[in-house]
């Protein structure tokens, strides 16, 4: 049987346009991707905001005045302590990102998840097959600091935004297994629609990760450099697909496909055509 690969545009297309912004997602749709990968955090008013960090990243964020956010100021710009109106007033694209020299700088802001989905769904007639891979940015040490104490609040807010989206087009992923366990519980109870779940890990092994999770997710998603053919085999024996992050070099993509991965997450969806 021919291998079927799921391609995902990481934070839209971070290598080409400012990450996690509506222009980056719309641009990513122009390439042969299956999912838009994105991250979500919560504002003080519990709006679901598309952002990788729960703060303003000094690499590319600027104050409304145009003043650059300094590294020492990041943690004081906690999104969970800011209203969405305040969050939206910061620029996140005009400076570009020195880590991604091909990224084209342009004015941009952190959008609401609902706004991002609305913009992408408006293109559905031209790009009918894409889905969303939504990472809920959560970690236990941040409970009550940059997110609610209770994962229920975070998950409920995200699924509220997703209520009108075809669940077959949605993956929810997280490094925080408490998030995934709660989502699975609510799905089993019929409270949440049955979306696909993905367990994010860095270097952790397959068996201890799945044991900690307590159920078999649809996807196991490790850092690509920690992935081996053996780990892929273990996942496949359990019926779990493997989608590593974040692969930007074409040769690395080819190698991972050759050892059996089921998907590729990349900052450069324009490079997919080279495979």
């Amino acid at each position: 049987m021919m291998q079927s690969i799921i391609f995902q545009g990481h934070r839209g297309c971070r290598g080409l346009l400012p990450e996690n912004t509506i222009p980056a997602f719309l641009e990513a749709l122009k390439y042969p991707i299956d999912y838009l990968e994105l991250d979500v955090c919560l504002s003080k008013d519990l709006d679901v905001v598309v952002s990788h960090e729960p703060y303003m990243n000094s690499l590319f964020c600027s104050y409304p005045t145009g003043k650059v956010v300094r590294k020492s100021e990041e943690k004081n710009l906690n999104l969970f302590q800011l209203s969405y109106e305040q969050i939206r007033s910061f620029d996140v694209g005009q400076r570009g990102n020195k880590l991604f020299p091909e990224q084209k700088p342009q004015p941009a802001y952190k959008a609401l998840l609902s706004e991002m989905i609305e913009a992408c769904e408006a293109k559905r007639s031209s790009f009918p097959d894409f889905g969303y891979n939504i990472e809920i940015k959560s970690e236990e040490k941040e409970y009550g600091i940059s997110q609610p104490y209770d994962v229920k609040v975070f998950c409920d807010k995200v699924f509220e935004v997703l209520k009108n989206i075809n669940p077959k087009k949605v993956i929810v992923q997280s490094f925080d297994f408490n998030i995934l366990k709660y989502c699975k519980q609510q799905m089993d109870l019929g409270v949440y629609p049955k979306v696909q779940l993905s367990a994010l890990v860095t270097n952790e092994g397959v068996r201890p990760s799945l044991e900690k999770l307590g159920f078999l997710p649809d996807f196991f998603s490790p850092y690509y450099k920690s992935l081996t053919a053996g780990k892929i085999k273990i996942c496949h024996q359990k019926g779990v697909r493997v989608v590593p992050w974040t692969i930007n070099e074409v040769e690395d993509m080819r190698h991972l496909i050759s050892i059996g991965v089921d998907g590729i997450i990349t900052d450069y969806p324009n490079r997919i055509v080279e495979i």
Side-chain angles (χ1 to χ4, degrees):
M1 192 171 97
M2 188 175 172
Q3 193 176 354
S4 178
I5 305 296
I6 300 164
F7 288 103
Q8 302 189 22
H10 187 240
R11 306 187 200 178
C13 53
R14 177 169 59 162
L16 308 176
L17 285 173
E19 67 175 69
N20 275 326
T21 63
I22 289 174
F25 296 119
L26 296 181
E27 180 68 19
L29 290 177
K30 298 175 184 176
Y31 300 101
I33 62 156
D34 301 288
Y35 287 88
L36 295 168
E37 192 274 350
L38 60 136
D39 312 273
V40 292
C41 298
L42 289 180
S43 69
K44 184 178 182 179
D45 25 25
L46 299 183
D47 283 324
V48 184
V49 183
V50 182
S51 178
H52 182 261
E53 294 84 19
Y55 55 83
M56 294 293 173
N57 190 325
S58 58
L59 262 177
F60 51 80
C61 292
S62 304
Y63 288 93
T65 58
K67 178 174 167 270
V68 168
V69 171
R70 295 169 187 257
K71 183 76 176 169
S72 59
E73 298 167 336
E74 287 181 339
K75 294 303 168 71
N76 293 326
L77 296 170
N78 178 347
L79 303 191
F80 194 51
Q81 302 301 326
L82 300 172
S83 70
Y84 178 63
E85 186 179 359
Q86 290 172 302
I87 292 168
R88 191 183 177 106
S89 68
F90 281 72
D91 180 87
V92 299
Q94 205 154 342
R95 290 167 53 202
N97 185 332
K98 65 184 179 184
L99 302 180
F100 296 90
E102 291 176 43
Q103 188 187 104
K104 184 181 175 185
Q106 65 178 66
Y109 60 88
K110 292 184 185 291
L112 292 173
L113 176 61
S114 56
E115 182 186 10
M116 173 266 175
I117 287 175
E118 186 178 353
C120 294
E121 289 301 310
K123 302 291 183 183
R124 180 71 72 182
S125 58
S126 302
F127 307 102
D129 298 325
F130 76 90
Y132 303 96
N133 182 7
I134 300 167
E135 179 181 346
I136 296 181
K137 296 301 295 186
S138 173
E139 50 183 323
E140 287 188 45
K141 69 181 178 65
E142 288 293 316
Y143 290 2
I145 300 170
S146 65
Q147 64 187 84
Y149 278 108
D150 191 347
V151 297
K152 175 188 188 305
V153 177
F154 205 160
C155 296
D156 282 356
K157 286 293 178 182
V158 172
F159 274 83
E160 192 179 313
V161 178
L162 299 175
K163 63 187 175 189
N164 296 320
I165 302 295
N166 179 354
K168 292 180 180 176
K169 297 286 187 185
V170 177
I171 299 168
V172 168
Q173 63 177 3
S174 190
F175 284 99
D176 184 352
F177 285 7
N178 292 329
I179 291 278
L180 298 177
K181 288 175 185 179
Y182 183 77
C183 289
K184 174 73 161 56
Q185 178 198 67
Q186 296 304 102
M187 285 161 53
D188 288 347
L189 290 171
V191 179
Y192 289 175
K194 287 194 182 294
V195 302
Q196 300 170 93
L197 296 177
S198 178
L200 282 168
V201 299
T202 306
N203 303 309
E204 296 87 340
V206 176
R207 290 189 181 96
S209 296
L210 297 182
E211 189 175 328
K212 180 184 172 187
L213 185 59
F215 67 90
L216 293 177
D218 299 280
F219 299 100
F220 182 72
S221 195
Y223 178 45
Y224 82 97
K225 287 189 177 178
S226 73
L227 191 57
T228 62
K231 287 182 178 180
I232 295 170
K233 185 178 179 182
I234 294 168
C235 287
H236 286 174
Q237 285 171 344
K238 296 177 180 294
V240 176
R241 287 172 286 174
V242 182
V243 181
W245 53 272
T246 299
I247 307 100
N248 290 333
E249 301 305 322
V250 171
E251 284 311 307
D252 290 329
M253 293 183 197
R254 287 185 176 136
H255 167 69
L256 288 161
I257 290 169
S258 76
I259 64 171
V261 298
D262 302 284
I264 297 286
I265 299 174
T266 181
D267 289 311
Y268 296 93
N270 58 316
R271 295 178 183 175
I272 294 168
V273 293
E274 296 180 46
I275 301 172

